[in-house]
Amino acid sequence: MASQHSDTTDGDTGALALKILVAGGFGVGKTTLVGAVSEIKPLRTEELLSEAGQSVDDTGGVDQKVTTTVAMDFGRITIRSGLSLYLFGTPGQDRFWFLWDELAQGALGAVVLADTRRLQDCFPAVDFFEHRHIPFVVAVNCFTGAGAYGPDDVSRALDLDQGTPVVLCDARDRASGKEVLIRLVEYAGRMHTARLLDSVS
C-alpha cells in the first residue's frame, strides 16, 4: 500500500503524501522529468560519466549525455490542495538496479519513461513493476528526431497488460509531466481499489 503521512509543514494537517517512482532506461529523461515538475529544488545524485564506465554504460542514442544518476533523484509536487506526490527517480544502469527494491517500498505506483529510439531499454522497468504488481504508466518522452509512434503502437511493442496506460509527454515541460502524474494517480487508485474489493469479496 502507498506510504502516506500528515505533512504539517504548510499548516495543512490533513495533507496526504504519496510516493511515486520515476523509472526507465539510461538517458531517457528521468532526472529531467523530476526537475521539471518539482516545486522544491530537486535532490540529484548525478556524477560525470567516466572512461571507466564506458564498457558498461551504453550511450548509443544519447551521445550528448555527460552525467548519470548514481542513487536517486527526489522532488515533490502538489497535485491539488491536500495531495502531494513525492517523486523518486531511479538510476537507469544495470549495476544500480539493486536500489530499486528499496525505492519501491511503499510506492503507490510508477512512471516508466520510454524513448522510442531505444524502446528495449524500458523492458527491465516494465518487468520489475509487473512482477511486483505495482501499478505503472508508460510515458513516451517525445525526443526531437524520434519516430512518431502512438500509444497503441508502444503498448503492443512492449506487450503491456491490457489497460496499462501509455501517454505521450515532454519530460522538460512541467504541465506535460504533471498530466502524466495525474494519469498515474488515477490509474493506481483504480487498481488499488479493485484489489481491495477483490480481497473482501
Side-chain angles (χ1 to χ4, degrees):
M1 185 61 69
S3 61
Q4 56 187 12
H5 67 273
S6 293
D7 186 349
T8 59
T9 57
D10 59 0
D12 184 357
T13 57
L16 180 66
L18 302 173
K19 181 179 183 181
I20 301 295
L21 297 190
V22 180
F26 177 64
V28 78
K30 301 179 294 295
T31 298
T32 300
L33 176 65
V34 173
V37 301
S38 181
E39 62 200 16
I40 62 173
K41 184 177 180 179
L43 167 68
R44 293 175 173 162
T45 58
E46 289 191 306
E47 295 291 342
L48 290 172
L49 292 172
S50 65
E51 291 184 12
Q54 289 179 352
S55 62
V56 291
D57 293 332
D58 178 12
T59 57
V62 286
D63 302 332
Q64 303 303 312
K65 186 172 176 60
V66 296
T67 61
T68 185
T69 299
V70 296
M72 67 174 186
D73 299 310
F74 174 77
R76 185 189 72 199
I77 178 174
T78 300
I79 296 297
R80 58 172 172 74
S81 178
L83 175 60
S84 296
L85 304 182
Y86 288 173
L87 309 176
F88 293 81
T90 66
Q93 302 98 311
D94 301 15
R95 65 186 187 278
F96 295 123
W97 284 348
F98 68 92
L99 295 169
W100 286 33
D101 279 318
E102 193 72 26
L103 290 174
Q105 290 187 19
L108 173 76
V111 174
V112 175
L113 271 177
D115 177 357
T116 57
R117 300 169 302 178
R118 297 158 49 111
L119 197 58
Q120 71 280 1
D121 289 358
C122 70
F123 272 109
V126 169
D127 290 342
F128 179 90
F129 296 118
E130 283 184 344
H131 291 155
R132 288 160 181 78
H133 306 290
I134 297 174
F136 67 94
V137 301
V138 173
V140 180
N141 194 6
C142 297
F143 286 91
T144 302
Y149 298 96
D152 290 341
D153 298 322
V154 173
S155 181
R156 283 192 297 270
L158 294 176
D159 193 26
L160 298 176
D161 291 340
Q162 186 175 6
T164 301
V166 178
V167 295
L168 306 181
C169 75
D170 182 343
R172 302 166 298 181
D173 182 74
R174 176 179 170 83
S176 180
K178 186 174 180 179
E179 283 302 313
V180 170
L181 295 171
I182 291 172
R183 185 76 177 272
L184 170 62
V185 170
E186 291 173 346
Y187 175 65
R190 292 194 301 270
M191 292 294 289
H192 285 295
T193 299
R195 290 172 185 169
L196 180 62
L197 291 175
D198 285 344
S199 69
V200 298
S201 61

